[in-house]
Amino acid sequence: MSAYTISIVSIIGINVILAVSLNMISGFCGQISLGHGAFFGAGAYAAALAMVATASVPLALLAGVVAGSVLGILVGFASLRVRSDFLAVSTIGVNFLFVGFVRKQSWLGGEMGISGIPPTGFGASGNMIMILLLACATVVFSLYVSRSWMGFAFRAVGEDEQAAATLGIGAGAYKLAAFGIGTALAGLAGALYAFFTQFITVDAFDFILSVMLMAMVVIGGIGSTWGVVAAAVGLTLLPEAIRFVNDYRLLVFGGMLVLVIRLAPGGLAALVHNLFARTRKA
Amino acid sequence: MLIRNRRLSALAAGSLSSLAGLVVLATFAASPARADVKIGFQAPLTGPAATDGKSAQIAAGMAVEDINAAGGVLGQKVQLVTYDDQAKSDQAIFTANKLIGEDGVKLVVNGSYSASGRAAAPVFQKAGVVMIAAYGVHPDITRAGDYMFRLVHLGPPQGAATALYIGKTLGLKKISTITMDNDYGQATMDGFIEAAPKYGVEVVNKYSYSLKDRQFGSIVASVKRDNPDGVYATGYFFTGGPLVAQLRAAGITVPIIGSQAFDSEKFIEIAGPAAEGTYIIDSFDRDRKDEALQKFFTEFKQRAGYAPEGVAAITYSAVRLMADGIKRANSAEPDKVRDALAATKDFPLLEGNMNGFNSLHEMIMPIQVNEIKGGKFTPAGSITDLNAFAPPEK
Amino acid sequence: MYYIDLAVTGVSFGCMYAMMSVGLTLVYGLLRILHVAHAAVFALGAYVVVLVANATGSIALGFLAAVIVTPLFGIAIYRLLYEPLLRYRPDVPMIASVGLLVLMQDAFRIMFGEQGVTFRQNALSFTTFDFHGVTISAVQIALIVTAAVVFAGLHLFTTRTRTGLGWRATVSRPKIAASFGVDPVKVRYLNFAIGSALAAVAGGLVALLNNLVDPSIGFVVSYKALAIIVLGGLGSVRGTLVASLVLGLVEAYGTIFIGAWLDRDAIAFLALIVLLMIRPQGFTGARTA
Amino acid sequence: MSAVLELDDVAIRFGGVQAVGGVTRTVDAGDFVGLIGPNGAGKTTLIRIIAGLLRPDRGKVMLGGSDVTGESTSARVRAGLALTHQIVRPFREMTVLDNVILAAGIGYTSGPLRALLHVSRRREAERAMEILGSVGLTGTERRLAGELPLGQLKRLELARALAVDPKIVLLDEPLAGLNHAEASRQVETIMEVHRRGITVVLVEHNLEEVMRVCRRLIVLNNGVVIGDGDPWEVMANPAVQEAYVGSGMMAHAEA
C-alpha cells in the first residue's frame, strides 16, 4: 500500500468515527449539534498534550476520550436547559468559543499549535490499522446502540420529549448519554488525528469542519449508521477522485447539502431504500 | 428525524459506497509514468488562504514555463504536479503522500502557509524528498531535517530586522504593536518585541486581531490614545489595507510599519490615499533594473489580472532555484539536489541576490524595505546587518 | 475621549448588527427557521454595491441596485428552499440554510476572485470628522443615521399602515391575523424582502467601511447575528435592537480588555452561553414556541 | 384499601389567577374517579401537577405512599402512574407496535446504561400485541402511528398507558373528538382496564359517560373541590348545580 493510500484510508477512518458519533447525537437522539469540531479538537489537544508529556498511546487515547466527553457532557447539560433551536446556536457558539479560546492560550501553543507530538511507534500503516479497527468498532457500536433499548429510547426522546416522559423515559439522562457517547468518540477521533498529523493547530477544528460533518450525516441519511458511513467515505474520496470537486469543494458540499435536504430529505439511505421498494413493486 | 432507515437499504448504501471507494482507489493506483522531471507543488487553492495560493500557483506555473522555454533541465522538460492543501495540516500530509506515492515526485516546492509546510516537512524528510518552503515561516519546517530548505526569512528574524530598522533607520522610540493572530503574525511580532530594547525601541501597547477582522475601531482608538511615535503591524494585505486606512482616518499620522505580507498592490488599492508613507519590511524592490523581474511583472499581470505580490515572486524564485539545483547537481536525484542546494551561493531571486543557506538551510539575504509614495512601492533602503537577524543554526 | 471613541465604534457596529439581525429575527418570528443564509444576502448586497458602484461610478446607484436585487434573492430563498421544507422540524431548513451559505460563499470566490473587490472611487471611506478629539468617519455616521432612519421608518410602517399592521400581527399572532384577512404568504414575502434589503444596506456600508469586499465578508457576521437574535429573545425586534447595540459596545471594549485571552469573535457566543445558563428562555423570553 | 394517589393542599397560581387553590384528596386502589368541572375550573392544571408537568407552588403529591412532588414525569411513570394526553402524542415516525413495545419496555428504559445493555424485544413485542388486541388495534401494528385516524390514536394512547403496567391511570379527555360509536367503544376499553384492577382517574367533558361509569365524582370549580362522592349524590348538590348552570355546562352536557 502506498503512503498516499495509507493516509487517505486513515483520514477516512477518522471521518467515519466523527460522522458516526455526530449521528448518535443528532441522528439517533435528535439533538442538532453544529459544534462537533470543538469536541474533536478538545480530544486532539488533550491527546497531544498527553503524548508530549508521556509518549504513551493508551494514555493519549484516554485523554482524548475524556476531554471530548467532559466538554460534551457540559454542553449536554446546557442542552437540558434550552430549546432545540437554541441548542443549534449554542453548539455553533461552543465551536467558536473553543477556537477563539485555544487561539489565545500560550500553554496550548496559541496560534502555533502543538508540534513535536512523538510518533506512536506503529508506523504509518500501524496507525492506519489502529484507526481502521477503532472506526470499525465505532460502527459496530453504533449499530448495536441503534438496536438496543437505548437506541429505541433515543428515537423517542428525539421525536417528542414529553411523550417519552409519559412512557417513563427521562429525556435528560438520555440526552446526556447521547452527548457523552458521541463526544467521547469525537475525542477519540481527535486523538487519532493527533497521532496521524503529529502536530495540530486550532484552525483544523473550525466551524466549517462541523458543517462538513453535519453534511455527511444529512447526506448519508440522518439516523442511518450505514448511510452515514457511506457518506463519510464518499465525501472524503470525492474531492480526491474528481478534480472539479477538489477545486470547488465548498461549493459542491454546500450544494449537496441543499439539494439533498430539498429533494431527498432522507439522504442516501432513503434513496437506496426507495430504489429497492420500486424494483420490488415492478 | 427525517426518514428513518430500513436495514436493507442501509446495507445496500454501505456496499455501494465501499464499491465506489474501491473504484476510486483503483484509478489512483494506475497513474502513468513520464520521462519529465517532476516537481511537486502544494498550495492552498481553496479555503481562507486561497488568495495567496492562487498567486503562488500562477507564479509556479510561469517559472516552469520559463525553465522549459530555456531548454528545461538535464535535457528534459520540467513538469509541475500541483495539489491543493487548503493550508491545512491534514490535507498537506495527504497531498505530500500523494506526491510521493502516486506521482513518484522527489522534489517539492511548498507554496503554502506554515500549517501545511510543518505537516508536510516530516513526511518528505522521511521519504528523502527535497522540499523548498517558499513562504512558510514556522521554524519547525527546516528543523524536520536536511532535505528541507526555506526561501523566506523566518518570522522572528523579520521582526528583529524590523526593530533595527525602526530604532536605527527611522529613529522612532515609542511603538504600538498590532499582531495578527496566526503563527506568522505572532512569530514575527515575538521577534520584534524581543529585539526592540536593543535598539532603544519601547513597546507602548500591544494589540491583536484575527485573520477575519476587517474592522479595527477599538484598536485604532487605543492607538490614538497611546500617541506613539510609530505603529508596527503584522498581517496580510487584506487585513493591513483596512487597518492602515482606519488608522489614518482616525487622524493618526505617525509612520506605520507593516510586515512582509502587506506587500501587494492590492494593499495600496484597499488603503487608497491612506497607504501613503507606510513602510513594508521585507518587501521586494519592484523598480530594480532586472530583466527577469520586469518580465515577471508584466506577464503575471497579464495572467492573473492583478500585480504580483511577494508571495508570487518568492514562489517563482523557489521553483527557479529548484531547477538551478538540479542543473548544478547534474542529476534529479534528491540527495544530489539537496547537496547542490545547500551549496547555493549568490543565487538571483526576483527580490535580489540571496547569499546562501545556513546550516539549518535557512536563507541568508539582506532585507529590503519599501515605502509607499505616490501610490507606488518605493525602495526605502535595505537592512544589511545580517548578524542582527541571523536565523537559528542547527 | 478614548472611551467615547470606543463607544462610537461600538454603536456604529451595533447599528450594523441591528440591520443584519432584524431580518433574521423576523424570519424566526414568522417561520421558526434560523435563516443562516441571511449572511449570504448580506454578502450579496456588499458585492452588488461595489460592482455597480465601480461600473457606474455612483455609490448611490450601487445601493439602489442592492435594495432591488437582494429582496428578490431573499424571496427566492424562501420560495425555493424554505417553503417546501416547512413541514419538517425547523432544524431541517436551518441545516439547508447553512449549506446555502457555504455554497454562496464559494460561489462568490469563484465569480469575483479570492482577492476581493475594492471601490474604484470611495471618498466616503476616507472622510472623517473630528469633534473635540473624538473621531468619527463618514461611513460610521452613515451607519448610525441609516439605522436610525430605517428603524424609525419601520416603526411608522408597522404602526401606521395597514400592511405594516398586518405584518406585525402575523409575526406575533399568525392565526389571529389570518382570521382578520391578512394573507400570510404575502406577509412572508414582504418579510424576506424587507429583511434582505436591510442586510444588503448593512453589507454595502461595511464594504465602504473596509473598502474591500471579499468572499468571507458575511461569514462571521452570520453566526454573530444568530447569537444576537437568541440574546434578544428570538422573534423580538426590540430585543434584537438592544442586543445588537450591547454586543457592538461589548466587542468594542472587549477587544481591548479581554482580547488577550479570547478572540473578539467569540465574545458574542460567550455572552450567549452565559445568558442561556442563567436565563434559558433568552433576554426577554416572554414568548415560547 | 390503600391510597394510590394522595394530594395534600396542592396549589398553584398563574399570574394573578389562583388556578388550583389547595386541593387535598386521596384516591384509593381500585377507585374509578371522574374529575369534572366547568371550563377553567383547573382540571387540566391539576392533572398536569399530578403528572409532574407542572410544579405546584405548595402542597405535596404522593404516589403509593411516597412523596413524588419533586420528581419528574418519567420518575412518576416508573412509580406506577400512567397518563394519556388530551391532544394525542404518539411517536408518529414509529410503527404502532413500536409505540407500545417502547412503553412495555419500561423496565429497560429506566436509565441509559440499563437500556444500552439490553437488546431483545421479544417478550415486550408479545405483550404489546396482546395489549393492542385488547384495545382493538389488531391489524394496525405495522403502520406508522402518524398515519392512523384520531379514533385509533386515542386507543393507541390508552394502549401505551396500559403497557407501562401502571397502578393508576390519568385519562385526560380520552373521548374528546370521537364520534358516538368510537366513544362507547373507548368507554368499554376503559372499563375493562378498571376491571383489571387499575385505578382510573378520568377527566371528561362528556358528563353522560362519566356518570355512567364512574364510582366516585370529584367536582372542581375555580380551583377548589366543591363536591366529592357518589356521582348522583354529588350532582344533586346545589353548589355543584349552581357552578354548572352558571357556566352553561349542564346544558352542554345534556345536549
Side-chain angles (χ1 to χ4, degrees), chain C residues 55-92:
Chain C
T56 63
S58 156
I59 291 174
L61 270 181
F63 274 94
L64 186 66
V67 297
I68 294 170
V69 171
T70 52
L72 296 176
F73 183 68
I75 289 173
I77 295 180
Y78 168 68
R79 270 292 286 129
L80 301 177
L81 192 61
Y82 294 153
E83 199 178 62
L85 295 175
L86 286 177
R87 63 205 165 97
Y88 296 108
R89 273 171 53 163
D91 304 331
V92 176

Side-chain angles (χ1 to χ4, degrees), chain A residues 47-75:
Chain A
L49 290 177
M51 204 64 190
V52 169
T54 67
S56 152
V57 172
L59 265 183
L61 284 173
L62 186 70
V65 168
V66 169
S69 59
V70 165
L71 186 60
I73 287 170
L74 280 178
V75 174

Side-chain angles (χ1 to χ4, degrees), chain C residues 225-275:
Chain C
L226 285 186
I228 288 171
I229 67 169
V230 176
L231 285 170
L234 283 171
S236 150
V237 173
R238 197 164 303 161
T240 302
L241 293 185
V242 172
S244 299
L245 284 173
V246 168
L247 181 68
L249 287 168
V250 168
E251 278 190 352
Y253 292 101
T255 306
I256 303 303
F257 299 111
I258 66 171
W261 58 273
L262 192 69
D263 217 33
R264 181 179 86 171
D265 294 331
I267 293 175
F269 293 105
L270 181 66
L272 172 79
I273 287 168
V274 169
L275 177 86

Side-chain angles (χ1 to χ4, degrees), chain A residues 30 32 34 78 81 83 85-86 89-90 93 100 104-105 158 207 211 247-248 250-251 254-255 257-258 261-262 265, chain C residues 28 34 80 84-85 88-89 91-92 94 96 98-100 102-103 106 109-110 223 234 259 261 263 269 276-277 280:
Chain A
I32 294 303
L34 282 167
R81 292 177 56 92
R83 310 206 306 252
D85 34 11
F86 280 35
V89 181
S90 310
K104 299 277 188 177
Q105 304 309 308
F207 175 67
V211 173
D247 292 351
Y248 303 124
L250 293 174
L251 188 80
L257 198 54
V258 171
I261 292 183
R262 179 68 180 75
Chain C
Y28 185 85
L34 289 168
L80 301 177
L85 295 175
Y88 296 108
R89 273 171 53 163
D91 304 331
V92 176
M94 185 198 69
V98 172
L100 181 65
V102 170
L103 177 150
D106 214 28
R109 177 182 71 87
I110 293 160
Y223 302 103
L234 283 171
W261 58 273
D263 217 33
F269 293 105
L276 286 181
M277 290 303 97

